[in-house]
Amino acid sequence: MKNLSVETLCVQGGYEPKNGEPRIAPLYQSTTYKYDSAEEVGDLFDLAKEGHMYSRISNPTLDIFEKKIAQLEGGIGAVSTSSGQSANLLAILALCKNGDHIIAFNNLYGGTFVLIKSRLKDFGIEATLVDLGDSDEEIQSHIKENTKLIFGETLGNPGVKVFDIERYAELAHRNNIPLILDNTFPTPHLCRPIEFGADIVTHSTTKYLDGHATCVGGIIVDSGKFDWTNGKFNCLTDNDPNYHGLSYTETFKEAAFITKVRAVFLRDLGTTMSPFNAFLTNLGTETLSLRMDKHSSNALTVAEFLESNPNVEWTHYPLLKSSDDYELAKKYLSKGASGIIAFGVKGGVEEGKKFINSLKLATLVVHVGDVRTHVLHPASMTHRQLSKEAQLEGGIEENMIRLSVGIENPDEILADLKQALERSQE
Ligand SMILES: *Cc1c(COP(=O)(O)O)cnc(C)c1O
């Protein structure tokens, strides 16, 4: 199933049943697997043979889901994880150890921001946060001998700034380091970052891939295109004493990175997705294309409405013609810009609260990217742990509302927003 479209892969990817097998990707709710001989199990432990050993490391249901997402993103392999947080953590840890350094953009999801800025620092991995407004020279000046990667989000959460993938992939590659992109908001239906030069793609599958807000999960996809033998990645080229001295690049070639993510980091840290979550998330992905088209068209309608509403101070949505990111959005998000809008209710925090409390159809939840319309106030919720200064640097203004536009009837979404905006000013 290689050269099929995203629409078809969403439905048919990852699983091709043989004669008489279940048509629906089955749920293998099993921790363990049965073998005919002791030698067989030894080979699995040595990575000399492919196969399932224990469900912390792999499982047939996860395997189906991972194959589908790898196909959708145009990668050579994927590893699913217990959450989006652990997907980003494992992707970074597979390339960085104590004493290493990374470059990350400052407009990231709050959880990722804190992970990179504070938690990784506790483990000896330093990060320099750069801004999408910085010049290439400025970013270049922060790249040092021990810098191992550049990390960004295709569409930032919650500011929805568009990442210029080709520009930063080139910058990364000039320095012999990979670009890791969190592609949670666009999903492969709207943007496939590997086609523009990203080397590793991550997702919080909790959002649109599941789409129904039932499962927390994450996934890491490897493009297989980065040359790990360029001298900077001893972690993948050197012999690993834990696997009888094998070198990941020598043994697994272009799959060195993704194999190490599974065989070392998933095994040792245990942040595994459960088979049931993979089963449900896979079911969600079957309608991904339909949903993303509808989320995107509804969001554009809502963004245009907000932009012209007198009770709204400002509106960010990449495909608004007035957006600073319009040209980038046309290039990277030509099919649609996903369902997330950031906007400021006229006034300040109080008016924002009144707006949220007056909504009837849209609900207040700590979530984005499912079929229902949701709102949230990032400054006091998801990005609460950041200083005011860090919030502003990341584009989070005090009166910002993050609106996740669902797939309900657009007129009914508009009517709800309209009445709540009126109430906000009373
Ligand atoms: C939600 C989110 C995460 C974290 O994912 P969880 O599944 O909640 O752990 C990471 N990146 C982005 C862009 C997100 O929206």
Side-chain angles (χ1 to χ4, degrees), residues 143-199:
I143 300 180
K144 305 176 272 188
E145 196 49 41
N146 62 343
T147 305
K148 292 296 160 82
L149 59 93
I150 297 182
F151 187 98
E153 287 176 6
T154 320
L155 251 181
N157 177 358
V160 290
K161 295 288 289 174
V162 181
F163 193 86
D164 191 345
I165 308 172
E166 282 181 350
R167 174 177 162 193
Y168 299 114
E170 198 187 298
L171 182 69
H173 296 160
R174 225 185 297 143
N175 289 283
N176 292 321
I177 55 176
L179 173 65
I180 302 186
L181 260 194
D182 181 329
N183 196 36
T184 296
F185 276 7
T187 80
H189 179 69
L190 299 175
C191 180
R192 290 159 40 106
I194 291 172
E195 287 175 357
F196 297 105
D199 301 288

Side-chain angles (χ1 to χ4, degrees), residues 82-86 88 109 111-112 153 155-157 182 184-185 203-207 216-218 368 402:
S82 54
S83 66
Q85 282 299 112
S86 55
N88 287 329
Y109 167 69
T112 314
E153 287 176 6
L155 251 181
N157 177 358
D182 181 329
T184 296
F185 276 7
H203 284 274
S204 165
T205 63
T206 316
K207 317 293 166 55
V216 173
V368 283
R402 183 182 72 182

Side-chain angles (χ1 to χ4, degrees), residues 234-366:
N234 298 351
C235 56
L236 293 172
T237 53
D238 282 4
N239 300 334
D240 185 349
N242 293 314
Y243 279 116
H244 303 302
L246 73 75
S247 148
Y248 293 93
T249 46
E250 273 173 29
T251 309
F252 302 106
K253 311 282 187 249
E254 74 276 7
F257 167 82
I258 202 71
T259 305
K260 186 161 187 186
V261 167
R262 183 186 304 284
V264 175
F265 291 94
L266 201 58
R267 181 198 62 178
D268 293 354
L269 301 187
T271 56
T272 310
M273 183 182 280
S274 77
F276 188 50
N277 280 6
F279 177 81
L280 287 179
T281 309
N282 184 54
L283 209 54
T285 59
E286 293 182 0
T287 54
L288 180 71
S289 286
L290 279 177
R291 288 187 285 108
M292 293 318 290
D293 283 340
K294 180 73 171 163
H295 280 295
S296 300
S297 70
N298 273 3
L300 184 58
T301 304
V302 169
E304 284 167 349
F305 159 82
L306 290 172
E307 191 176 37
S308 63
N309 188 290
N311 300 324
V312 172
E313 226 158 67
W314 52 268
T315 307
H316 294 323
Y317 185 69
L319 279 174
L320 279 178
K321 292 211 173 64
S322 59
S323 166
D324 293 342
D325 283 355
Y326 185 68
E327 290 307 317
L328 283 177
K330 277 278 179 212
K331 174 171 178 177
Y332 294 114
L333 298 161
S334 58
K335 285 205 271 182
S338 193
I340 318 296
I341 300 170
F343 72 98
V345 177
K346 197 167 118 198
V349 177
E350 280 317 304
E351 286 78 4
K353 276 191 192 154
K354 268 199 231 163
F355 165 76
I356 287 178
N357 293 341
S358 307
L359 289 165
K360 296 191 169 94
L361 187 76
T363 49
L364 172 61
V365 302
V366 182

Side-chain angles (χ1 to χ4, degrees), residues 50-66:
E50 271 189 44
H52 301 292
M53 184 162 63
Y54 182 54
S55 285
R56 174 160 22 89
I57 301 160
S58 71
N59 165 287
T61 304
L62 269 59
D63 193 41
I64 289 165
F65 175 59
E66 288 161 350

Side-chain angles (χ1 to χ4, degrees), residues 1 4 6-17 23 68 71 286:
M1 290 213 190
L4 294 172
V6 166
E7 287 89 334
T8 302
L9 287 172
C10 279
V11 179
Q12 304 256 1
Y15 179 60
E16 290 176 72
R23 181 64 197 93
K68 178 189 280 188
Q71 289 165 350
E286 293 182 0

Side-chain angles (χ1 to χ4, degrees), residues 31 33 125 139 172 217 275 314 328 334 343 360 392 409 415-416:
T31 59
Y33 307 89
I125 298 167
I139 298 172
W314 52 268
L328 283 177
S334 58
F343 72 98
K360 296 191 169 94
L392 284 175
N409 178 296
D416 188 36

